[in-house]
Amino acid sequence: MSLTKVTSTINENSLDDVRELESWAAGTLQAEAIEPSLKTLTRNLEELFDCEAATLFSYDKVLRQLYSRNLNTSEIPEIRLDLSTYNIAGFVAATGNPLNIKNVQSKSELAKNNRELLHDSSWDEKMDFETRSMMVIPLSANGTFLGVMELINKVSDTHFSETDFLKARAISSLMAQVLVRLDSAHPELNGAKKHNLKNITQAIQTIRNMDEVYFGLAPLLTSMFDASEIHIFTIDKEKKELFSRFNSPEGIQEIRLPLTNDNPIGLVALSKRVINLRNAGDADELKRVNAGLTLEGMTAAATPSKSTLILPLPYRDHVAGVLQLIDKKNKSMFTSKDEKGSLLIGESLAHAIMSRKNAIEAKPSPYGLLVQNGLLKEEELKEFIAKADASKEDVETLLRREKFILAADIGKSLEYYYGTPYFPFNEGHPLPDPAPWKLNKTALLEQKWVPVSQDDERVRVLTRDPRNPAMLAEVARVFKEYKVEFQVGLAEDIGNYFEQLAPMIKEEPEPVATQEEPEAVATQEPVSTMHPTPTEQEKNTMTSTTETGSHVSAVDHNAVSSQPVVSPEKKDSGPSQVVGQFNDTLILAGNKGVTDIHIEPNMETKNILVRLRKDGACRIFDEIPGQHKSELIEHIKKLANLDVSQTQLPQNGQVEWSDGGLKLGLNVVIFPTIGDSEDVTIQVTRLSKPKPHYVALDTMHISEPNLARINTALGKSQGLILVAGPAGSGKTTCLHAFLGRLNSPEKKVVTMEEPVEIVQNGLRQLLISKDSGMNYATTLKMLTMGSPDSIMVDAMPDSETLGGVLEAAEKHLVLTSLEAKSATGVMAVLRDSLKVDSAKLSENLTVVVALKQVTALCPDCKADHHPTREEFDQLAEFYGKQYFQELGVEYSDQLTLKKPVGCKKCLFSGYGDKTTLQEVMVVSGDQKALIAANAPEEKIAAQAIKDEMITLNQDGVYKVFTGDCDFKQIQAAFKDVASKG
C-alpha cells in the first residue's frame, strides 16, 4: 500500500495517540526481573492490540530457527520454527517483510506473499487453539535481526487494522530490546545454549553486514568462551585506527584506538601475535608482554583488573581485525583451549569482515537505522522526505504521527548515524542558568542547539546535527572556558528545551541591528522554526539506494505497474472500482510480459481468483470479493463485444485495448463452469513497443574495468565507438547513456536517429526521414560541416553510411550501433555485409561494446544463497577456468550468492526486469594490425582476451557474484551461444 493510502487511513490520529504509545513503551522495560516483566509485557501486548495471544520469538543463529520466549504453558515450554518461506514466521524472518494476514486459512491471501506459504496448524492442535488472523513483525536492533513478534486473533474484529499494523511495527525495536535484555540476563536460555566451534562458524556464515559483526556475534562468542564481554575490532588503514562498536547500558558505544604498538590491540594487529592477560590492569604484566604497553592504552579497550585474551584475525597475508575476549567467568584467565578455539574461528571471522567491508552498501543517513531495523522501508522514507518538503513539516514529526515511530527510535537512529548519545526531552529536567553566557537566540534557533546541563568544567549541548560547522563555531565562541559534550536530539525536543530556556536569556542588541530586530527575533515562534525540513545533503543521503541493474519502463503507468494491484476493499466504494482494478491488472500484464490472465470464481470462498501466466507458469496474483463477480464479467463481455445475457455457452472475442502509450491485443474466452459461474481467460499480446528511456551510465551495473575502458574512449576527441548486440539488446539505451556522459554546455553533440526514441535536453537530435529526402549518408556529410564535437548515428544501413562514419571519425568522436552477437563478431558483419575498408576501420575504431540482455533477480525479494561446490565449479567452468582466478572469488563456507524467492511485485516468479551484460573490446595496436590484415575472428578474439577483455560469459558470472542475477538465467541467455571459456 502506498504512503498516501496508508496516511489517508490514519489522518484522524493526533500526536497524542503517538505520545500515548510512547508512554506505554517507556514503561515496558522498567521491571528488574525479566520473567515477571515478560509475563506482564505479554498481557500488555494483548491489551494494546486487543488480541488473544502475543508471542516473542528469538533467532537461533546456529540452528537457523526461531524459538518462543514467553509461552505460559508447561506442556509446551518452547516452539521452534525453521527459517523457511513455507511457514509464516519463518518467511518474515527470512525476508524481513512484516505481514498483516486477515485469514491464515486463505491460501490465496498467503500466496500473495509467497505461493508456497502455508499456516502450520500443528501447533494450534497441540495447544488447543485456533489461529485466524495474525500480524508477524520482524525484530531488529542496530541493524541485526533478533527475532519476530506474533500477534494473533483480533478480538473485536475479524482482523487487525492498518493502524494496528503501524503500531506493531512502531514498537518492534522496543521488543527487540526485550530479546537483547532476556539474552543478557539468561544467556543459558539463548537458543542452542552452550555454543561450540562448529555452530559458531555456521553462524558467522549468516552475517549480512558489519553491524552484525559488531553486535550480532557477541552473545554467541561470550557463551562459547564463558566471557563477560567481547569486542571485535576492524582496521581503518587510512586513519591508522582500530575501530569497534558495542552495546552498553548507555547505548551504542565506539572504541577508536591508534594502530600502534603502545596498546595491546594495536600490538596484536601489527605483530599478529596472541596476548593472554591474567589482569589487564597490572602494569607489570603489560610490560612483560611488551615494554611499550601502558595502562592508558589498555583501559581504552578493556575493563581494568579483568582477564583479557586478544587475537589477530588473519586474512591472506594481512590482518582483517582483532578479537578481544574480556573477563573469563569462574577462572582466573582464558585457557590454551580458548586460544586454540578462537584462532580456529578467526579465519572465518576475518573472511566475514573483509567480504562485508567490501560489500556495496547504501549510504548512511540520519534515519538509516529505522530502515535497517524494519520500522519503515527505503521508499517510504523517500515519500516522507518529499511530503515534508511539500508540507514544510519536519520528517521526524511526520514519522511519529503517520507511522507511529517512537521518538526513542528516531533518537537512536540519530545516535547511530552521528556516533553521539541521544538525549530525550524530559519536562522536569533542570536547565542551566544561561546568565554567564552570551547566548544568541537567533543562533540557537537557526543552528538547532541548546545547552542542557553544566558543571564547573564542562557543558552538555543538545543539537540536531553535531557536525554543523556554524553550530560548532558558535558553541566554541560561547563556551570558551568549558569542555563541551554533544548529544543529539529530535528537533521538537530541542524546540521544547529552547522554550524553557528562552525567557532566561538576556541578549544584547547586535551592533548592526535596528531596535526592532531583536524584538522580532524574541517574538517569533520557536517550535516551528526548530522543526525544519532536511538539508539538501540530508535529502541526498536519505534517498540513496543500491542500484539493481533493472530498468523501469517509461510507459505512462510505470508507477502503477511497479506496485501490487490494490484489492477492491481497499479502494473507494463505487460501481467502477472493480473496473479500475481490472484496468490496473491489464497495465501490469502489458508491462510485465504476462501472456494470460485467468479469472476464476472460487466455489468455496465465493471470491474471484486472478491468476497470471508469465514465462509459461501460472501464479495466483489476487483475490477479488465475490460481490464484484457479475460486474467484472459483464464489463469484460462488453469490452470484447460479447453477449452479456449469455451465460450458458462459451464465447470468444478480440479487442484492442489501450491506455496512454500502452496498447494491448486481448483475446477473450469465456466459458460456463459449475455453480452457475463463468471463467474468463484473456490472452495478452503487447502491440505497442516499450518506449526506451534515458539511463545514466553509472547506473547500468557495468563492471569497474569495463566502465574505465568506456570512459577512456568517451574522453577522446576522435575515433569510432561501436555498440553491438542483437535486436532488443538495449543498443539505443546504451548509446544514450554514452551521450549523457558527453552532454555538457561545453560540447556540441548531434545525433541522427530513425526514429528519435529518447530525448535529452542539450543534444541536437535530427530525425532521419526518407520522405523528406534526408538519409544517413547525405545528412552525415552536412553535420560534419557544423563542427560538432561528437556525432551519434543510431544505425548503419549501408556501406555508404559506414564510409561516412569512418571519415567523420577521423576528426570527431562518432558513436554508432550494429547488430552482432559479440564484440569480435562485429568484424565479420562489417566485412561481409557492409564491405568495410579494413585499413580505414583499423585506423579509427577505438572500442567495441557488445551487449546481451538477461533476466535479473527481483530486487524486492531475492534472498541469500550459499552455493554448493558443484554450483561454484559450474560458474568457474562457464567463466573459463584459466581466467577464473582473476575474478578473486574463492569457495568458502562464507560465500553468498542470491536466489529467487517470489513476491507480488515480480508476480511470484522471483525475477524482475532485464539487465545487460557488457563485453568491451579496446582496439589496441596489435588489434589494429589484425583488423587491417583481415585476420579471422578467432585471432581477433584471442588478441582481445590477451588485452584483458571481459567476455559476455565472464560478465554474466560477475553479475551472479554481485547478486544481480542467478546462474540459471545466465545459462538461459547463452543457450544458443557456445561458451567461450
Side-chain angles (χ1 to χ4, degrees):
M1 178 179 284
S2 70
L3 176 63
T4 303
K5 290 178 180 175
V6 170
T7 54
S8 68
T9 66
I10 59 168
N11 280 339
E12 69 276 7
N13 293 313
S14 67
L15 210 55
D16 291 339
D17 299 318
V18 183
R19 291 191 175 118
E20 183 180 350
L21 184 65
E22 290 177 335
S23 175
W24 178 90
T28 299
L29 294 176
Q30 298 303 313
E32 289 296 325
I34 190 69
E35 282 86 357
S37 69
L38 252 187
K39 292 178 181 178
T40 302
L41 173 62
T42 302
R43 290 194 297 270
N44 288 346
L45 282 171
E46 292 169 353
E47 181 179 344
L48 179 67
F49 291 99
D50 185 29
C51 63
E52 292 183 10
T55 306
L56 297 179
F57 288 84
S58 282
Y59 174 41
D60 184 338
K61 282 179 174 289
V62 175
L63 300 179
R64 287 186 60 79
Q65 289 181 330
L66 298 169
Y67 60 100
S68 57
R69 304 303 296 259
N70 62 327
L71 287 182
N72 295 323
T73 168
S74 57
E75 293 81 7
I76 306 177
E78 180 182 84
I79 293 176
R80 278 193 171 264
L81 302 170
D82 292 329
L83 256 68
S84 164
T85 54
Y86 294 96
N87 71 75
I88 295 172
F91 174 84
V92 170
T95 64
N97 295 324
L99 294 180
N100 183 6
I101 301 172
K102 297 178 180 179
N103 180 7
V104 298
Q105 306 301 331
S106 171
K107 293 181 180 180
S108 59
E109 182 182 0
L110 296 180
K112 293 177 185 178
N113 301 287
N114 184 285
R115 61 183 180 274
E116 297 171 335
L117 193 60
L118 294 171
H119 169 59
D120 184 0
S121 59
S122 62
W123 288 106
D124 283 1
E125 295 171 3
K126 293 175 184 177
M127 302 177 69
D128 192 22
F129 187 86
E130 181 187 359
T131 301
R132 299 184 301 277
S133 58
M134 69 188 316
M135 294 191 295
V136 187
I137 311 295
L139 306 179
S140 297
N142 305 323
T144 300
F145 174 71
L146 297 174
V148 301
M149 172 176 65
E150 280 188 357
L151 301 165
I152 301 173
N153 293 352
K154 181 78 172 178
V155 174
S156 58
D157 202 347
T158 57
H159 58 271
F160 294 96
S161 67
E162 190 65 40
T163 301
D164 290 328
F165 192 48
L166 291 175
K167 287 184 177 180
R169 290 182 67 183
I171 66 167
S172 62
S173 61
L174 184 72
M175 296 303 103
Q177 293 176 43
V178 172
L179 299 181
V180 170
R181 179 173 169 182
L182 185 63
D183 287 340
S184 176
H186 295 287
E188 73 279 1
L189 300 178
N190 182 13
K193 301 175 184 178
K194 182 69 176 178
H195 296 296
N196 56 39
L197 177 63
K198 180 180 178 181
N199 54 41
I200 289 286
T201 304
Q202 290 173 339
I204 291 173
Q205 295 172 19
T206 68
I207 289 174
R208 294 169 291 186
N209 52 51
M210 285 304 299
D211 288 330
E212 291 196 1
V213 171
Y214 295 126
F215 303 113
L217 287 177
L220 306 182
L221 292 175
T222 53
S223 170
M224 177 177 176
F225 295 105
D226 286 330
S228 298
E229 186 179 351
I230 72 108
H231 295 151
I232 298 173
F233 290 87
T234 53
I235 297 174
D236 187 333
K237 290 185 178 179
E238 291 184 4
K239 295 182 179 179
K240 295 183 179 179
E241 280 185 340
L242 291 141
F243 174 77
S244 183
R245 307 180 82 174
F246 64 97
N247 279 316
S248 76
E250 291 76 34
I252 298 170
Q253 301 291 313
E254 293 184 356
I255 301 177
R256 292 186 180 272
L257 298 172
L259 188 59
T260 56
N261 286 323
D262 59 358
N263 70 82
I265 312 297
L267 178 62
V268 168
L270 294 170
S271 65
K272 302 181 183 179
R273 61 182 288 192
V274 176
I275 295 178
N276 194 351
L277 301 169
R278 185 182 299 274
N279 183 352
D282 187 335
D284 293 334
E285 185 176 2
L286 292 177
K287 288 182 179 179
R288 286 196 294 272
V289 173
N290 186 285
L293 292 181
T294 63
L295 281 174
E296 288 76 15
M298 193 67 231
T299 54
T303 306
S305 306
K306 296 291 180 69
S307 56
T308 303
L309 175 61
I310 312 170
L311 309 102
L313 301 176
Y315 181 78
R316 296 181 179 173
D317 59 346
H318 62 279
V319 174
V322 174
L323 172 64
Q324 181 185 26
L325 308 174
I326 301 172
D327 189 15
K328 178 74 172 180
K329 295 179 181 177
N330 304 319
K331 289 189 179 181
S332 59
M333 67 184 298
F334 291 94
T335 65
S336 58
K337 184 179 178 182
D338 294 328
E339 291 185 25
K340 182 179 178 181
S342 52
L343 286 171
L344 287 172
I345 68 168
E347 185 175 349
S348 296
L349 186 51
H351 272 279
I353 289 173
M354 294 307 297
S355 62
R356 299 319 179 257
K357 282 180 71 175
N358 295 332
I360 300 174
E361 296 184 356
K363 296 178 184 177
S365 79
Y367 308 112
L369 190 62
L370 302 177
V371 176
Q372 287 189 48
N373 285 346
L375 297 176
L376 74 163
K377 295 181 179 179
E378 188 79 40
E379 56 268 25
E380 291 177 318
L381 181 55
K382 290 181 186 179
E383 290 188 66
F384 275 109
I385 293 168
K387 187 170 183 178
D389 217 10
S391 66
K392 305 305 179 186
E393 290 187 274
D394 68 272
V395 176
E396 295 162 7
T397 298
L398 291 174
L399 290 174
R400 294 179 65 196
R401 185 179 69 234
E402 298 184 5
K403 289 291 286 184
F404 286 90
I405 292 180
L406 306 181
D409 284 320
I410 298 175
K412 285 295 180 183
S413 187
L414 298 176
E415 175 183 292
Y416 185 84
Y417 175 71
Y418 290 113
T420 305
Y422 163 60
F423 187 83
F425 176 70
N426 181 349
E427 192 171 359
H429 176 75
L431 293 173
D433 181 5
W437 306 316
K438 294 182 179 180
L439 291 176
N440 184 306
K441 292 181 181 179
T442 303
L444 293 177
L445 287 167
E446 291 179 351
Q447 297 162 9
K448 300 175 280 297
W449 65 274
V450 64
V452 290
S453 66
Q454 72 162 118
D455 56 31
D456 293 338
E457 298 181 353
R458 68 190 65 204
V459 61
R460 181 185 294 168
V461 169
L462 184 63
T463 176
R464 174 55 185 79
D465 181 1
R467 302 175 187 173
N468 184 337
M471 181 275 299
L472 292 172
E474 179 68 8
V475 167
R477 180 192 71 79
V478 173
F479 304 113
K480 294 179 181 178
E481 308 300 324
Y482 293 86
K483 180 179 179 180
V484 178
E485 292 181 356
F486 290 102
Q487 294 196 319
V488 290
L490 274 62
E492 180 184 357
D493 293 347
I494 298 171
N496 289 333
Y497 279 128
F498 176 84
E499 285 184 328
Q500 294 182 6
L501 196 68
M504 298 186 283
I505 299 175
K506 296 181 180 179
E507 289 186 289
E508 296 180 6
E510 294 283 347
V512 295
T514 64
Q515 292 300 315
E516 291 79 9
E517 284 175 331
E519 295 176 7
V521 171
T523 57
Q524 64 181 298
E525 290 295 330
V527 175
S528 61
T529 311
M530 296 292 272
H531 301 163
T533 53
T535 65
E536 283 301 315
Q537 182 179 5
E538 285 180 336
K539 289 179 186 177
N540 292 335
T541 57
M542 283 189 284
T543 57
S544 63
T545 56
T546 304
E547 296 291 344
T548 64
S550 58
H551 306 311
V552 179
S553 171
V555 177
D556 293 342
H557 291 275
N558 59 344
V560 177
S561 68
S562 64
Q563 295 293 332
V565 177
V566 181
S567 297
E569 64 268 29
K570 297 178 184 178
K571 290 179 174 260
D572 295 334
S573 60
S576 64
Q577 62 178 344
V578 72
V579 174
Q581 173 120 352
F582 175 71
N583 290 341
D584 288 347
T585 304
L586 288 177
I587 293 167
L588 186 142
N591 288 326
K592 291 288 187 178
V594 170
T595 56
D596 301 286
I597 301 172
H598 298 275
I599 298 171
E600 303 162 341
N602 188 299
M603 289 295 299
E604 182 180 344
T605 65
K606 307 301 181 184
N607 290 338
I608 306 167
L609 203 63
V610 179
R611 296 195 296 155
L612 306 183
R613 185 188 299 277
K614 181 183 178 183
D615 300 327
C618 263
R619 297 178 178 90
I620 295 172
F621 176 72
D622 209 348
E623 188 172 10
I624 300 172
Q627 62 264 32
H628 297 294
K629 179 177 69 173
S630 299
E631 181 187 352
L632 175 59
I633 294 179
E634 181 178 327
H635 170 73
I636 296 171
K637 286 181 178 180
K638 288 179 179 179
L639 188 67
N641 293 317
L642 301 178
D643 186 350
V644 174
S645 63
Q646 178 58 261
T647 61
Q648 302 300 316
L649 294 174
Q651 296 190 76
N652 174 233
Q654 291 80 34
V655 65
E656 284 191 7
W657 184 91
S658 62
D659 188 283
L662 178 66
K663 183 181 288 186
L664 304 177
L666 307 179
N667 182 30
V668 179
V669 178
I670 301 179
F671 49 91
T673 55
I674 62 171
D676 197 26
S677 292
E678 292 177 284
D679 281 16
V680 179
T681 297
I682 304 173
Q683 294 177 331
V684 181
T685 304
R686 179 160 184 158
L687 303 177
S688 58
K689 186 178 178 181
K691 185 179 179 182
H693 62 289
Y694 172 69
V695 177
L697 184 59
D698 291 335
T699 66
M700 290 185 66
H701 270 224
I702 302 175
S703 67
E704 287 297 330
N706 281 343
L707 188 58
R709 292 165 185 154
I710 291 169
N711 282 329
T712 299
L714 291 172
K716 296 181 182 294
S717 60
Q718 61 200 40
L720 175 62
I721 297 175
L722 208 160
V723 176
S729 59
K731 296 188 292 296
T732 300
T733 301
C734 185
L735 283 171
H736 271 273
F738 293 172
L739 293 175
R741 180 59 56 89
L742 298 172
N743 191 358
S744 70
E746 293 78 25
K747 291 185 177 181
K748 182 169 183 177
V749 183
V750 295
T751 74
M752 300 165 49
E753 302 172 78
E754 183 188 10
V756 175
E757 296 181 306
I758 300 173
V759 177
Q760 284 195 58
N761 290 330
L763 303 182
R764 310 316 302 154
Q765 296 179 259
L766 278 69
L767 175 64
I768 298 299
S769 171
K770 294 178 182 178
D771 295 336
S772 63
M774 291 181 64
N775 61 30
Y776 282 98
T778 56
T779 305
L780 182 57
K781 288 179 182 179
M782 296 295 293
L783 280 181
T784 55
M785 297 178 186
S787 300
D789 293 286
S790 304
I791 305 169
M792 188 270 271
V793 182
D794 67 349
M796 293 184 292
D798 49 47
S799 57
E800 185 183 4
T801 304
L802 172 58
V805 163
L806 291 174
E807 189 173 334
E810 294 175 359
K811 296 180 180 179
H812 311 275
L813 183 64
V814 181
L815 296 80
T816 189
S817 69
L818 192 69
E819 285 199 16
K821 290 184 177 180
S822 66
T824 56
V826 163
M827 301 307 156
V829 177
L830 291 172
R831 290 171 188 161
D832 301 340
S833 301
L834 297 176
K835 311 301 179 185
V836 70
D837 181 335
S838 298
K840 223 171 193 181
L841 178 66
S842 68
E843 290 174 11
N844 296 293
L845 186 62
T846 59
V847 68
V848 180
V849 180
L851 308 174
K852 177 177 283 291
Q853 285 206 330
V854 298
T855 304
L857 290 166
C858 174
D860 294 290
C861 64
K862 62 183 177 181
D864 288 344
H865 164 60
H866 174 59
T868 65
R869 183 75 211 199
E870 182 181 0
E871 290 174 298
F872 183 83
D873 290 342
Q874 287 177 342
L875 285 165
E877 182 74 30
F878 193 82
Y879 191 93
K881 285 188 176 180
Q882 64 270 47
Y883 310 112
F884 186 70
Q885 190 174 2
E886 300 170 1
L887 197 56
V889 179
E890 298 177 355
Y891 186 78
S892 69
D893 292 339
Q894 291 77 42
L895 181 63
T896 302
L897 306 180
K898 294 292 183 180
K899 67 177 181 180
V901 176
C903 65
K904 195 162 187 179
K905 288 188 179 180
C906 64
L907 308 183
F908 303 102
S909 67
Y911 296 98
D913 295 325
K914 296 286 187 179
T915 191
T916 308
L917 309 183
Q918 297 90 15
E919 180 178 79
V920 181
M921 183 182 79
V922 176
V923 183
S924 63
D926 292 334
Q927 197 69 277
K928 286 180 181 293
L930 291 173
I931 293 171
N934 283 319
E937 183 181 346
E938 293 76 16
K939 286 191 175 182
I940 293 174
Q943 183 60 47
I945 291 175
K946 187 177 179 181
D947 293 336
E948 299 184 344
M949 180 184 78
I950 300 169
T951 68
L952 288 168
N953 296 55
Q954 293 168 347
D955 197 43
V957 174
Y958 169 81
K959 284 180 168 60
V960 172
F961 283 114
T962 57
D964 294 334
C965 308
D966 66 356
F967 191 38
K968 175 184 174 183
Q969 293 300 327
I970 298 297
Q971 288 176 306
F974 284 87
K975 62 183 178 182
D976 59 340
V977 180
S979 172
K980 295 181 182 179

